Amino acid sequence: MWTFDATESVDAGFFRGRIQKALALREALPAARHTNALRLVNGESDGLPGLIVDRYADVLVAQFLAAGVERWRDPILDSLMELSGCAAIYERSDAEVRKLEGFPAKSGFARGNRNASRCPIIEYGLNFRVDVEQGQKTGFFLDQRENRSRIRALAAGREVLDGFCYTGGFSIAALAGGAKRVTAIESSAAALEVAKENLAANPLDASRVDFQRADVFSKLRELRDRNAKFDLVVLDPPKFAPTAAQVKKAARAYKDINLWALKLLSPGGLLATFSCSGSVSAELFQSIVAGAALDAGADAKIIERFSAAADHPVALEFPEGEYLKGLLVLKAA
């Protein structure tokens, strides 16, 4: 459904207009003054269901995830190139949801061409290299931008554990904020390679970060057995529940990692814990973390809530768009 206005024509101009509005919204955001990486189109919430477009410096990464936008692919790509002024568009239409729409996975340059395996971006003064060709989703989790900034503000003097560190976003933010030491865990060797490149791109003391390739579930238990302690734990796992049918299994996984994290926290420590599973509601996620605290024997309180950055708006009539939720939990001293 593109429009409820019977007099409105759905043509190339229609999509150009919607894209123009989406770009204008982002240009007006405060974050636009601090980064050259933003989500420019956020699907249903920008009136373009199935279309995701992220900007990394002068490269756009686009995902066509529904039959409607697939049909209008070329006019959409033309408008994106014209209105953004970017040098190239890399298509990452390789999500599982494409199968539900009856389309094969597709990736590669849709417009322009350049070496985009490591797009250099800046976020609040920190440098990152984004692998738009092989990285998860579109290459970087832009929705966590403001949350990374918040962790940076909280990290001073703390021993930090970053579970599921991916390409090091939270770890590098914590280090920039003055963390005493950061232990960063990730199962993907390729992601850790990019994380180390990201660290090297910033004037930070690399000796204070320990990147470890390991299964996070096993590593958290191992750290607990060694009686390790941390002042700040960040848990930003991948989507445990891609569909509603997997919520029960996901709930067990979320509970396990939060239980071990709370056991690893020193009294007075902070847990920043996230879920990006749209099928796991904010209420359910809070309940899961509460159960983990109970089983861990921890007296814990929510002191802040996290959500996606403002370039990921949520249309009022599309609450499903509010997929990212997070809690900042204080463990009582």
Side-chain angles (χ1 to χ4, degrees):
M1 176 63 70
W2 292 121
T3 179
F4 290 99
D5 182 354
T7 65
E8 191 171 21
S9 296
V10 178
D11 53 18
F14 171 89
F15 292 98
R16 188 181 190 281
R18 291 271 168 109
I19 291 167
Q20 208 162 17
K21 285 182 182 177
L23 268 58
L25 186 154
R26 276 65 180 188
E27 287 166 8
L29 292 175
R33 299 193 295 272
H34 304 284
T35 184
N36 58 356
L38 291 163
R39 172 150 297 183
L40 300 186
V41 179
N42 196 39
E44 287 85 347
S45 296
D46 283 305
L48 293 164
L51 180 65
I52 300 295
V53 183
D54 287 338
R55 177 174 193 152
Y56 298 110
D58 66 342
V59 175
L60 298 183
V61 181
Q63 292 184 308
F64 292 83
L65 305 177
V69 285
E70 180 71 16
R71 178 183 175 187
W72 291 94
R73 181 176 176 275
D74 284 331
I76 287 170
L77 290 169
D78 291 342
S79 292
L80 285 169
M81 281 294 283
E82 177 199 344
L83 295 170
S84 71
C86 283
I89 303 176
Y90 194 85
E91 184 173 357
R92 285 293 303 272
S93 299
D94 52 2
E96 283 293 309
V97 71
R98 287 268 297 188
K99 293 180 183 176
L100 300 177
E101 296 285 310
F103 294 111
K106 186 189 297 183
S107 62
F109 279 100
R111 292 288 187 277
N113 198 332
R114 52 153 288 181
N115 179 12
S117 60
R118 294 289 193 275
C119 279
I121 66 164
I122 299 171
E123 178 182 287
Y124 289 110
L126 295 176
N127 298 298
F128 295 99
R129 305 288 183 262
V130 180
D131 187 349
V132 305
E133 297 180 20
Q134 301 294 331
Q136 289 189 35
K137 296 193 175 178
T138 68
F140 198 65
F141 297 121
L142 296 176
D143 51 2
Q144 291 280 28
R145 180 189 313 105
E146 307 307 325
N147 301 331
R148 283 188 287 269
S149 182
R150 185 67 183 123
I151 293 302
R152 182 177 181 175
L154 293 167
R158 295 181 185 268
E159 288 275 353
V160 179
L161 173 64
D162 181 9
F164 309 95
C165 76
Y166 187 45
T167 56
F170 279 111
S171 296
I172 290 166
L175 192 62
K180 189 186 299 182
R181 183 166 178 79
V182 180
T183 301
I185 308 166
E186 172 58 48
S187 61
S188 165
L192 281 177
E193 181 185 329
V194 180
K196 290 171 183 175
E197 289 180 23
N198 285 335
L199 178 60
N202 293 280
L204 299 169
D205 183 358
S207 68
R208 289 190 285 132
V209 184
D210 180 17
F211 286 115
Q212 299 184 20
R213 186 185 177 195
D215 173 76
V216 178
F217 290 85
S218 301
K219 193 67 182 181
L220 290 176
R221 288 192 292 272
E222 179 194 319
L223 288 167
R224 178 66 187 100
D225 292 343
R226 285 167 30 199
N227 202 31
K229 289 295 177 187
F230 299 90
D231 308 303
L232 172 60
V233 177
V234 180
L235 294 177
D236 183 26
K239 190 185 292 186
F240 286 158
T243 67
Q246 293 158 298
V247 167
K248 195 171 181 180
K249 182 180 177 184
R252 288 196 297 271
Y254 284 123
K255 185 173 182 182
D256 282 350
I257 59 172
N258 282 283
L259 188 154
W260 290 111
L262 285 159
K263 283 177 177 275
L264 288 166
L265 266 185
S266 299
L270 295 170
L271 167 63
T273 181
F274 299 90
S275 166
C276 63
S277 298
S279 300
V280 176
S281 68
E283 292 77 16
L284 175 58
F285 186 59
Q286 180 174 332
S287 176
I288 292 167
V289 177
L294 189 66
D295 288 0
D299 178 12
K301 296 175 175 61
I302 298 168
I303 56 173
E304 284 183 36
R305 294 181 186 272
F306 299 112
S307 60
D311 53 337
H312 293 62
V314 179
L316 287 170
E317 70 277 10
F318 185 62
E320 297 89 347
E322 199 166 2
Y323 63 93
L324 180 66
K325 71 284 300 182
L327 303 171
L328 183 63
V329 175
L330 171 68
K331 182 177 179 180

